[in-house]
Amino acid sequence: MEAGPTMLTGEIKDQIRARTDIVDLVSTNVTLRKAGRRFVGLCPFHSERTPSFTVDRDRGLFHCFGCGAGGDVFDFYMRTHNVTFPEAAEQLAKRAGIEIETTPGERRRSTETETLFRALDAAARFYEGNLAHPETGRTARAYLEQRGVDGATMSRFRIGYAPDGWDHLLRALRGRGHADALLERAGVVVPRANGGHYDAFRHRVIFPILDLQNRPIAFGGRVLRDEDTPKYLNSRENPVFHKGRTLYGLNWAREAIRKRGRAVVVEGYMDLLACHQLGIEEAVATLGTALTEEQMALLRRFSAAAIFVFDADEAGRRAAERALPIAESAGLQARAVTLPDESDPDTFLRARGRDAFERALEGAQPLFSFGLALAMRRHAGTTPEEKIRIVDEVLPLIATVRHEVARAEYLTQLSQRLAIHEDVLRAQLRAVERTRSDSGPGATRSREVSGHAVRSVARRGAGGRYAAERQLLMRMIDEPADRARMAHDLLAADFAETAHRDLFGRLSQPDAELNRIRESVSSETRDLLERLIFEERPAVVDIDGCIARIRDEQRKEKLRELVARIDEAQRAGDADAVRALQSEIQRVSSAGGQAAGTTPVS
Ligand SMILES: [Zn+2]
């Protein structure tokens, strides 16, 4: 994920792929047995009893039907060894006996990164040394002890102290040969307006943020007295620290996340320390930044499930709303919980202990139900006015979710809870979407969810448009010879799902090559491609039938839209518009009749 020292050419990647037998590689971690032309075994990325982890030797790909994990030899190596892409490439190249040549530019970048890591590590040691110092660290240690942080936790998490003063760190690290400019890039010193530098953190407890290889990449600093501001100060971004791609504590939590099959997502440093100290070792913290897709994708590498601990207030509701579409698009089964009495994990754990916290986690609800419950709690939901307010709050939330099945389920839940007919809610949802699709951040892209949800769609909608689109795409994947014909008969715009559209566009290119497509598309499209490669296909694909199904759905959609417009025109008393729309409806329905007559009805 990080920009690494080695930028590989496509050619070298292909060489590594060609020389690495994915079955051999996977077999070092997973016992595989042959099943048809594929190999199956127990997934190393989630715990299961019946094998859903599948390897396709010819295509060099793996896929898990249980948790949605998938990819090529690089992905497998990265996930099983917790390394970045450049590191995986280097090690796989060595394994395959391939030399990777680096250019002078790459060597320079690599040295720059190394010196930056060294400076960050020196800063972390400096802070740690100060906390341990009997005199200098006394107040900070007393503060941490009073907050319940024990000595073992302090050293495990490499907690430190930035002394009071303007240049303690600057002088100490300069003395060890670190240039001022480098320390500035590391974010531990700040330039003065009139030249020179001063320490970025002063009289603060320091929490180093470590990457997955346990190297410090940034720091968070907390004041010792609550009345001082800002309470928390985080280093700004640097070449090895990107806030949106980092979760505090993941380096310590990842093994527990994998073992327990879930991550617990809390907000702050102190919450995380309390969790780990009391045995909730699968906790990570977001550090108050808005949750990003990259953070969720990162978690997804270790587990398919996450429990978010939110505040029981307005901010918590907004956080849940933001998290829902992001977690869904990353394929995470996300649940949310609030702690009683408005407490945060830190205060709750210290007051009531681990068992009570575990029980609270057991009560976590799926994100959508959680948002709905919060809205219901605010507006009792018995009078029509209250129901309207709930609908107004919850529908925009549903509108951000693009997955058909999830949306349908959410609408059903909302309909049941409020005793409002689903059709009414659906119509209202379309209105919300119309206003959102015009502009603004609500104009979310269509998304795919990996894993179970998608497979259930495939089953449920066996005769539907969704399935038809997927069958056509599978055919294009399997039979390159048919691609040109389908590209001639269909447009990308004919596909309802964004990822379908994107993949169709890529497969329609002459000499489209699956590995190249995988590498150049968004993560949603890549997930889709991998799933379609592995999913079971019908024995016979009726291409014409699938196209007819798509056309039929398009026609129905058009009719629904025209009916809605007639409604509006009638209410507005516009007789001309009503007549025009009626003849349009006639035209569209009769066109459909003809089409139905010429294609076999399935
Ligand atoms: Zn799996």
Side-chain angles (χ1 to χ4, degrees), residues 7 125 161 215 232 235 282 410 424 464 474 487 532 572 591:
M7 299 298 148
R125 286 172 199 281
Y161 170 61
R215 297 174 296 196
Y232 284 96
S235 345
E282 68 273 33
Y410 296 158
V424 177
M474 282 176 177
L532 291 181

Side-chain angles (χ1 to χ4, degrees), residues 310-343:
F310 287 121
D311 291 345
D313 57 9
E314 187 57 24
R317 182 181 69 85
R318 274 201 304 276
E321 278 175 17
R322 274 197 307 269
L324 176 64
I326 296 174
E328 292 226 356
S329 77
L332 269 179
Q333 291 149 22
R335 289 179 298 148
V337 70
T338 55
L339 299 172
D341 314 324
E342 320 262 298
S343 53

